Amino acid sequence: MDALNPSLQKPLNHLLVKPAGPDCNMSCQYCFYRRKKDFFPQTKIHRMDETVLERMIRELMEQGPKEVSISWQGGEPTLMGLAFFRKAIELEKRYGQGKIVANGLQTNGLLIDRDWTAFLQQYHFLVGLSLDGPDAIHDHYRRGEGGQVSACQVREAAGRLLDAGVAVNALCVVNDFSVRFPEEIYCFFKSLGLIYMQFIPCVEGDPGFRLPTVFSVPPLAYGAFLCRLFDLWIADFSDDRPTTSIRFFESLLFSYAGLSPPECTLLPECGTYLVIEHNGEVFSCDFFVAPEHRLGIIGERPLKDLLNSPKQQSFGHIKSRLPEECLLCRWLTFCRGGCLKDRFSGQDMTGLNYFCRAYKEFFPYADNRFKKLIADRRKKEQGLNLSVKTRAKKIGRNVPCPCGSGRKFKKCCALHSDGITNR
Ligand code: SF4
Ligand code: SF4
């Protein structure tokens, strides 16, 4: 590896881990990760073994900064069983040596029973629960292999987790069907007590034609969805503070305040974390688990080296290679050309983002109100000088969260910004 000045090296502070690979106990029609089974044809069932688990956790603890996080994702990570996660916690304690470790679990909720709930509560996991909205909306695409519906089970899991005091983030995929129901979905989440929400626009490119698949959300419809959702979010402010949390909007508040947003799609470059598959193979990003974006395998080279490798750096730089329309766009500071995976047009992911028209609808709609929120906040919280440029990279964990929730940053957006971005 080319020697990189240590002061310029990215810290190994976050891993996104897929202990059961692409295996899942559901068969959601729009899931992009199901097809990844083709990359791991050696076995039918994919499970991380203890050797890989131990090595991964040891390296993260040895090479990472004082505060690190792991997002356990899939497929469906609960297929590993509780014993696997108990072992993970034991290893975090063994190698952590006083480090602060945040664990996040992204799940479809089907296996979340009382034992899981007690475990997640005991170890303060942040749970990302996949739920697309009221039953008819959720069950439209989120079904089992035999077509079984799942909404009722997921609602029950949400209730169980919330009753036990587990922090739960509702992960809602916005698809061609659900995009018509922003109000119903938002109010439904609130009625369940799911005030932390993350909306993920669904777009899959047909590999042959690079055209969006039928369940992909049309850009203009998504733009209208965002605008309506924004109104709902703002209408629920109380005493100038949000009472619900919508990750995309809160991330934009960071950008408006001159801070680095927690959502990677709004950053100028990618490549800030690593994905570890069940067999220890390491990839550039959750959306780029593919042979051409394979960085290596656990044990071959230190994870920190893989994060700072020329290959991961080149991957990171792709996002900043923007088409002229972006370079001339007044929303570039906030939009940053969107997520790389949504750049269908043009060659090598340097074309215009599929959702461009959505963003061009949404940004002018929300711009003045974002500015007003920040201006009001600055007036109120004189101690928090959000405009200081030198703070753009790092926010103190004990300062009030820039999203305005009134909680400390470490108890708010820092907690909800650990790479749980998809599905
Ligand atoms: S490709 Fe998208 S999800 Fe991956 S790091 Fe870049 S912006 Fe984030
Ligand atoms: S709104 Fe469209 S043109 Fe403007 S930066 Fe975003 S993707 Fe590029």
Side-chain angles (χ1 to χ4, degrees):
M1 184 182 89
D2 293 345
L4 193 65
N5 181 337
S7 65
L8 297 176
Q9 288 203 353
K10 282 176 273 188
L12 181 71
N13 52 15
H14 180 63
L15 296 179
L16 193 157
V17 182
K18 293 173 177 286
D23 296 357
C24 190
N25 50 355
M26 284 186 67
S27 194
C28 307
Q29 210 176 326
Y30 53 56
C31 178
F32 75 97
Y33 215 76
R34 282 191 302 172
R35 291 195 301 273
K36 303 292 178 186
K37 285 188 180 172
D38 299 345
F39 298 139
F40 310 106
Q42 296 81 0
T43 52
K44 264 194 151 181
I45 294 179
H46 307 88
R47 299 288 183 270
M48 181 175 277
D49 65 31
E50 276 194 19
T51 314
V52 172
L53 176 70
E54 178 162 1
R55 179 116 203 179
M56 176 185 80
I57 290 179
R58 182 158 57 81
E59 287 204 30
L60 177 64
M61 299 306 160
E62 286 172 0
Q63 299 161 32
K66 191 167 183 301
E67 295 178 19
V68 293
S69 60
I70 303 179
S71 294
W72 303 93
Q73 292 198 9
E76 176 52 43
T78 58
L79 290 179
M80 296 303 293
L82 258 178
F84 173 87
F85 283 91
R86 289 206 171 97
K87 184 75 191 172
I89 294 291
E90 181 197 318
L91 293 166
E92 288 176 4
K93 285 182 181 168
R94 187 189 307 165
Y95 295 111
Q97 309 270 343
K99 273 193 172 30
I100 298 165
V101 187
N103 286 286
L105 178 82
Q106 183 171 315
T107 177
N108 60 31
L110 296 196
L111 296 179
I112 301 295
D113 58 10
R114 284 177 189 202
D115 289 346
W116 269 102
T117 303
F119 170 81
L120 297 167
Q121 190 268 342
Q122 182 179 0
Y123 293 105
H124 308 288
F125 273 63
L126 166 65
V127 174
L129 184 68
S130 297
L131 182 59
D132 282 359
D135 294 13
I137 297 172
H138 177 89
D139 288 332
H140 194 77
Y141 286 124
R142 296 193 67 84
R143 291 186 176 234
E145 191 81 52
Q148 313 90 312
V149 294
S150 59
C152 180
Q153 277 172 278
V154 186
R155 269 192 286 109
E156 282 173 12
R160 211 171 284 130
L161 290 163
L162 290 169
D163 286 349
V166 177
V168 185
N169 209 1
L171 304 180
C172 174
V173 174
V174 185
N175 53 60
D176 67 313
F177 179 69
S178 64
V179 72
R180 291 178 253 166
F181 307 104
E183 189 148 3
E184 288 83 349
I185 297 170
Y186 179 82
C187 294
F188 171 73
F189 286 154
K190 270 183 23 177
S191 73
L192 292 184
L194 291 166
I195 56 165
Y196 291 96
M197 310 174 198
Q198 189 177 336
F199 295 89
I200 306 118
C202 178
V203 60
E204 279 284 292
D206 179 304
F209 302 97
R210 296 187 68 74
L211 287 173
T213 47
V214 282
F215 45 75
S216 298
V217 55
L220 280 179
Y222 183 55
F225 180 93
L226 284 176
C227 294
R228 182 68 190 120
L229 195 62
F230 186 73
D231 287 344
L232 293 163
W233 180 62
I234 292 278
D236 273 342
F237 271 49
S238 170
D239 194 21
D240 287 337
R241 295 186 186 285
T243 59
T244 58
S245 161
I246 295 180
R247 190 164 185 260
F248 183 59
F249 300 155
E250 290 188 349
S251 290
L252 279 167
L253 269 181
F254 276 64
S255 302
Y256 271 88
L259 298 163
S260 183
E263 183 158 320
C264 62
T265 61
L266 302 177
L267 290 171
E269 297 209 337
C270 303
T272 54
Y273 70 98
L274 297 174
V275 175
I276 317 277
E277 255 293 345
H278 68 288
N279 58 359
E281 287 187 281
V282 184
F283 296 89
S284 294
C285 161
D286 193 16
F287 294 108
F288 291 88
V289 173
E292 61 273 29
H293 296 289
R294 183 185 182 277
L295 300 170
I297 189 160
I298 288 250
E300 196 178 63
R301 281 163 54 189
L303 286 176
K304 194 169 179 191
D305 286 1
L306 294 179
L307 181 68
N308 289 283
S309 63
K311 191 165 179 179
Q312 181 71 337
Q313 286 177 54
S314 326
F315 172 76
H317 294 331
I318 299 172
K319 193 167 191 278
S320 57
R321 295 209 298 272
L322 293 158
E324 196 175 353
E325 190 164 341
C326 289
L327 295 173
L328 299 173
C329 177
R330 66 177 287 217
W331 306 113
L332 179 60
T333 323
F334 305 112
C335 175
R336 301 289 183 186
C339 178
L340 215 50
K341 78 162 176 62
D342 301 334
R343 295 192 193 164
F344 282 0
S345 61
Q347 293 291 309
D348 305 326
M349 297 178 284
T350 55
L352 195 62
N353 195 293
Y354 171 79
F355 289 115
C356 176
R357 279 183 298 166
Y359 300 141
K360 284 191 169 166
E361 185 92 8
F362 172 69
F363 283 122
Y365 186 79
D367 185 48
N368 281 338
R369 281 179 285 175
F370 272 128
K371 284 179 182 154
K372 185 169 181 319
L373 286 173
I374 293 298
D376 291 349
R377 191 78 37 78
R378 281 188 178 136
K379 269 187 225 153
K380 277 194 169 176
E381 296 170 4
Q382 291 156 344
L384 177 66
N385 186 355
L386 295 169
S387 67
V388 177
K389 279 249 168 20
T390 52
R391 297 188 62 190
K393 279 203 174 127
K394 188 153 173 47
I395 306 158
R397 289 177 57 80
N398 286 310
V399 303
C401 190
C403 79
S405 64
R407 294 182 294 273
K408 288 179 179 174
F409 175 61
K410 69 180 178 187
K411 297 270 183 197
C412 189
C413 287
L415 191 65
H416 293 267
S417 65
D418 63 350
I420 296 180
T421 55
N422 58 316
R423 289 181 307 285

